[in-house]
Amino acid sequence: APRAAEAELLLLQSQALAEEEAAKAKRELLTRFLQEKLSREEQSSKWGLHKVRTLWRLAQRKTKDQELRQDIEILSQTFTRVMDCKDGAIEVAAGPAGRGRCQGTHMTRPNTPQALVRELNEAEEQQNRALRSHLHLTDQLLHLQRCRLGYLEEGFSAQVAALKAEFEAERCGISGGEGEWGSSGTRELSWNGVGLSLAPQGPPQCLCQGGN
């Protein structure tokens, strides 16, 4: 009977060990499967994100290409009109062709070299006026900034002076606040075991209670 019980116990132990090993193998297999699945999902996600970014960049490039082509076309037309007008102004003869070249522009310009020189002088004068105005405004801004800094410095100095005065008052109160004024108008202090009674007027009186 004891041997049968031991054999049965060993059989149960072996069965439990086999079940534990099977469960462990199953867990490892499941873990490996999940890791592989996660790896595939990450690769698929990376590929999908790369594809979306590529399509988005292509769409942006297409839109920007259209905008740039429109801008280039507009600038080319404007440049052509300006060049035609300049060529007509440079021509000495004021023929019908020279006058008709400037019809596409916003302003009518005379077509003589003297007019070009006059326009150049006017442009230089406008630039000088703009520069003087800019310098004047810059000087005003600098003046306002200096005034603001001056006000800030004054306020800071006033705050520092107030803090110094408050600190001095507190220090004087701490240094002179060792004793208390009595009801008779005297102030009692204690120094090295010697009692002193200070009155508002007159020398201090010694209140020695013992010793020399």
Side-chain angles (χ1 to χ4, degrees), residues 51-174:
K51 187 176 180 180
V52 170
R53 287 179 177 175
T54 303
L55 294 176
W56 176 247
R57 289 175 181 174
L58 289 175
Q60 285 185 334
R61 288 174 182 174
K62 185 176 180 180
T63 305
K64 193 66 177 179
D65 181 44
Q66 294 177 357
E67 293 178 357
L68 291 176
R69 288 181 183 276
Q70 293 177 0
D71 294 341
I72 290 173
E73 185 177 358
I74 294 172
L75 291 174
S76 177
Q77 294 176 1
T78 304
F79 178 75
T80 302
R81 288 198 302 268
V82 172
M83 288 299 298
D84 291 340
C85 187
K86 294 294 183 182
D87 292 338
I90 291 174
E91 292 179 357
V92 179
R99 290 194 299 269
R101 289 181 181 179
C102 296
Q103 293 179 358
T105 58
H106 296 284
M107 55 185 301
T108 303
R109 301 183 181 183
N111 45 11
T112 59
Q114 292 80 7
L116 292 177
V117 174
R118 184 170 62 255
E119 289 180 359
L120 181 61
N121 294 330
E122 291 177 356
E124 291 180 352
E125 185 178 357
Q126 290 179 359
Q127 181 181 4
N128 293 330
R129 286 200 300 268
L131 180 60
R132 288 194 297 270
S133 177
H134 173 69
L135 293 176
H136 179 66
L137 293 176
T138 304
D139 293 337
Q140 288 183 350
L141 290 175
L142 290 174
H143 178 68
L144 291 175
Q145 185 66 16
R146 291 192 184 96
C147 293
R148 179 174 175 273
L149 290 176
Y151 293 150
L152 291 176
E153 288 179 356
E154 290 179 358
F156 177 75
S157 300
Q159 291 181 359
V160 170
L163 289 174
K164 285 183 177 180
E166 184 178 359
F167 175 76
E168 292 293 337
E170 291 181 356
R171 186 173 65 177
C172 292
I174 292 173

Side-chain angles (χ1 to χ4, degrees), residues 156-195:
F156 177 75
S157 300
Q159 291 181 359
V160 170
L163 289 174
K164 285 183 177 180
E166 184 178 359
F167 175 76
E168 292 293 337
E170 291 181 356
R171 186 173 65 177
C172 292
I174 292 173
S175 62
E178 295 292 336
E180 298 179 356
W181 290 101
S183 59
S184 61
T186 61
R187 191 176 183 183
E188 296 180 357
L189 299 178
S190 168
W191 182 69
N192 289 338
V194 178

